Amino acid sequence: MKRELFLDISQGAVRAAVVEDGVLSEIHCERDSETKLTDSLFLGRVQSVRPSVCAAFVDIGRELNAFLPLEEGEQLRCGEMILVQGAARQATDTKGLRVTRRINLAGRWLVLVPDGSGVRISKKIRDPDFRRELTQAGEAICPPGCALIVRTASEGMTAELLEDEARALDETWRLILQKAAGQTRPGVVYEQERLHMRLARDLRELSRIVVNDMPAWNALRKAQSEQRLSMDTALEYFEEKDRLVYDAFQLEKQIEKALNRRVWLPCGGYLIIDSCEAMTVIDVNSGKMTLGRGIEDTALRVNLEAADEIARQLRLRDVGGMVVVDFIDMRDCENRERLKARMRQATAADRSPVKVIDFTRLGLMELTRRRANAELRKQMRVGCSYCAGVGEVLAPGEVAMRALRQVRRMALGGQRGPFVVRCAPAAAQELAALPSGMDAPVYALGTAGRHVEKFDIEQIGADVPPPQGAKALDKRAIEE
């Protein structure tokens, strides 16, 4: 696989696109004014302890208190100052950061775990002899009172480099403790590196990094000289003379498609992706797919292709939490097992843990994915001020019916009319076609630019002519 990182550093923000074999796989955005919440360390003050949910709420100097799950038997007091680390962004803007007291300081090859013990090896390193060698090397360099996690990227690194990084992480931890001891108010104690440096550190087998910012390019060159970035990674500075960097590499259109509700598959099928507060729901449809020797074979082909695309979309949109997929129904149990295996294989490349659970009794596949940051749609979009985030508005006929009912309430309350209903043109047209069922005259007046769901009702005098353009409702319901 050819993995490339494209960095657009401009307008007070960093955009990072991870491209694998020419296809956009991840997109990240971080503004200069934002604190990297996940993985940053905070000095917090315990605001409340809730035994009923086995959690505490902690003031970390932000608008919303952080949510801290408590382990069994763990005791905290209100007002106590504690050191916590951001673990994950919550699903909505009304929930604070999820934090943990288990601190992890990540380097390129090692992760330091203060107040821990022992050496753990990445599960992706499978060779038992190599795991044994790394364990011995880790035990020799592990700082006192800490644990070490040896990352997959450590493969091929010398013992001297691992020892240098372990020493640097230990020094960072000591500086964090020193700063926290002198800090009296809740707030950030240690902030993570900028987005482009973290990705350069964490992404494996990067063949190329393209960046349009010279200071960032210099920082990456320095990291490469210090062996914090592989020497096999080509660093390219892109000078934006006549084209923007993302335009030059056809990335903007791919980013726009990442927000689409419908995603087409090469076979002619498509996905429908809907997100709500509790979960993400994905529907798989055969669409224009015509190949296959029968219904079962067609369903299998579309489903296997959909599994690959779903895995990519979860990464690309940074979807977290529960995911439910409604694949095309298949009766063959062997095909269903094949689909589960394909989904596990497709999600294995995801840097966030994905767990493929099983099919439910209704035939829906359940997955979970750990969220580290806000979803892409929440980074790039806000709720619609027109429809209030519902995605739909009332039909003109329904608005007309509601307006007429309100007129009737006013008449029953003692108002005699005539009444003028001002509303959007489409609703006014529907209203004018309704029988009023009232003695008092009722007029419908369309007003351009008015919200399609809103209407105003004015009572005018009997001797006052209706406004120009107003249409009278028929009284035939009374005459009948």
Side-chain angles (χ1 to χ4, degrees):
M1 179 188 296
K2 182 182 180 182
R3 179 176 289 137
E4 301 168 291
L5 177 62
F6 294 88
L7 300 170
D8 174 21
I9 303 178
S10 59
Q11 301 171 307
V14 179
R15 287 196 303 168
V18 180
V19 176
E20 295 176 349
D21 291 336
V23 179
L24 182 66
S25 297
E26 298 178 24
I27 180 69
H28 306 270
C29 183
E30 187 174 282
R31 293 174 175 82
D32 292 348
S33 58
E34 294 177 342
T35 299
K36 167 60 178 173
L37 298 180
T38 52
D39 297 331
S40 290
L41 272 66
F42 304 85
L43 183 66
R45 179 182 288 113
V46 179
Q47 293 291 92
S48 63
V49 180
R50 303 290 177 82
S52 58
V53 293
C54 198
F57 290 91
V58 183
D59 177 11
I60 58 172
R62 297 187 60 81
E63 182 179 356
L64 297 173
N65 288 336
F67 178 79
L68 172 63
L70 298 178
E71 297 183 1
E72 186 176 353
E74 185 177 5
Q75 299 293 326
L76 288 177
R77 301 186 309 276
C78 289
E80 183 179 354
M81 301 294 285
I82 58 175
L83 194 63
V84 295
Q85 185 172 32
R89 291 287 293 271
Q90 297 299 317
T92 69
D93 296 333
T94 59
K95 298 179 181 179
L97 180 70
R98 188 184 182 97
V99 296
T100 178
R101 297 185 73 184
R102 293 184 176 181
I103 310 298
N104 290 334
L105 297 180
R108 176 166 174 75
W109 307 300
L110 304 170
V111 178
L112 183 72
V113 185
D115 300 324
S117 61
V119 175
R120 286 174 282 170
I121 311 299
S122 168
K123 294 180 180 179
K124 294 182 179 180
I125 299 177
R126 303 185 182 278
D127 188 327
D129 294 333
F130 187 50
R131 290 178 65 87
R132 194 178 305 111
E133 291 177 12
L134 288 176
T135 301
Q136 293 173 353
E139 290 173 346
I141 63 175
C142 186
C146 298
L148 275 183
I149 300 174
V150 182
R151 306 182 71 176
T152 310
S154 64
E155 190 172 357
M157 294 300 106
T158 64
E160 290 77 12
L161 286 174
L162 297 180
E163 184 177 2
D164 289 344
E165 183 165 88
R167 188 182 300 111
L169 291 173
D170 186 45
E171 180 62 25
T172 300
W173 174 238
R174 294 178 186 276
L175 292 174
I176 289 170
L177 291 178
Q178 183 179 350
K179 183 178 179 181
Q183 190 167 316
T184 58
R185 294 183 178 182
V188 178
V189 177
Y190 173 75
E191 191 174 347
Q192 281 290 330
E193 293 180 297
R194 294 289 302 278
L195 173 64
H196 56 285
M197 298 303 295
R198 296 196 306 271
L199 289 173
R201 177 195 70 193
D202 294 338
L203 288 171
R204 298 188 65 212
E205 300 175 357
L206 267 176
S207 61
R208 178 170 66 154
I209 299 178
V210 179
V211 59
N212 64 347
D213 181 73
M214 183 58 73
W217 183 80
N218 288 329
L220 290 166
R221 283 289 301 270
K222 181 181 179 182
Q224 197 170 50
S225 67
E226 296 171 351
Q227 300 192 47
R228 293 186 291 118
L229 175 63
S230 173
M231 297 299 293
D232 295 331
T233 302
L235 295 179
E236 296 182 16
Y237 171 67
F238 183 90
E239 187 175 0
E240 296 181 328
K241 291 182 178 179
D242 54 355
R243 287 189 298 175
L244 300 178
V245 59
Y246 275 23
D247 291 341
F249 293 96
Q250 293 81 47
L251 292 173
E252 291 291 4
K253 291 184 178 180
Q254 293 192 61
I255 293 172
E256 290 176 8
K257 289 182 179 180
L259 299 174
N260 290 348
R261 181 171 179 258
R262 177 175 297 198
V263 178
W264 287 97
L265 303 173
C267 67
Y270 62 90
L271 312 176
I272 297 293
I273 304 176
D274 288 312
S275 297
C276 58
E277 186 168 340
M279 67 176 67
T280 298
V281 180
I282 302 176
D283 184 33
V284 181
N285 297 277
S286 58
K288 304 174 184 177
M289 170 69 171
T290 57
L291 299 176
R293 292 168 294 183
I295 295 177
E296 184 79 6
D297 185 57
T298 300
L300 178 61
R301 291 190 181 198
V302 175
N303 286 342
L304 292 177
E305 199 167 288
D308 294 336
E309 184 60 31
I310 288 169
R312 188 179 79 91
Q313 290 294 327
L314 295 181
R315 290 179 62 193
L316 183 57
R317 299 171 188 241
D318 208 359
V319 172
M322 294 184 292
V323 180
V324 174
V325 184
D326 184 11
F327 284 104
I328 301 173
D329 290 338
M330 297 185 299
R331 296 183 179 182
D332 193 326
C333 293
E334 185 177 336
N335 287 340
R336 290 159 70 96
E337 290 300 317
R338 184 177 172 185
L339 178 58
K340 276 198 299 183
R342 181 68 162 264
M343 180 60 79
R344 290 193 175 101
Q345 179 185 358
T347 55
D350 200 324
R351 294 190 296 125
S352 292
V354 178
K355 184 176 182 181
V356 180
I357 301 174
D358 206 340
F359 285 98
T360 68
R361 294 175 62 184
L362 296 177
L364 307 175
M365 181 180 285
E366 293 180 305
L367 303 89
T368 61
R369 183 178 185 272
R370 184 183 299 170
R371 176 190 290 112
N373 302 296
E375 290 187 32
L376 182 65
R377 66 183 182 89
K378 291 188 176 181
Q379 294 182 47
M380 302 180 67
R381 287 180 171 171
V382 296
C384 175
S385 60
Y386 199 88
C387 69
V390 175
E392 298 174 340
V393 292
L394 293 174
E398 176 62 21
V399 176
M401 295 288 288
R402 293 187 179 195
L404 189 54
R405 282 196 291 268
Q406 183 60 28
V407 171
R408 293 174 60 193
R409 292 187 188 101
M410 295 170 67
L412 291 173
Q415 300 184 49
R416 297 182 178 180
F419 301 95
V420 177
V421 180
R422 290 181 170 84
C423 52
Q429 185 177 353
E430 294 283 344
L431 180 59
L434 295 175
S436 70
M438 298 172 56
D439 289 326
V442 181
Y443 298 93
L445 179 61
T447 306
R450 182 177 289 267
H451 192 294
V452 296
E453 292 185 343
K454 307 297 182 183
F455 57 84
D456 294 320
I457 302 173
E458 178 187 3
Q459 178 181 312
I460 61 176
D463 56 345
V464 177
Q468 185 177 2
K471 296 181 180 180
L473 273 67
D474 195 346
K475 296 183 181 180
R476 64 179 181 272
I478 287 185
E479 294 173 357
E480 291 173 359

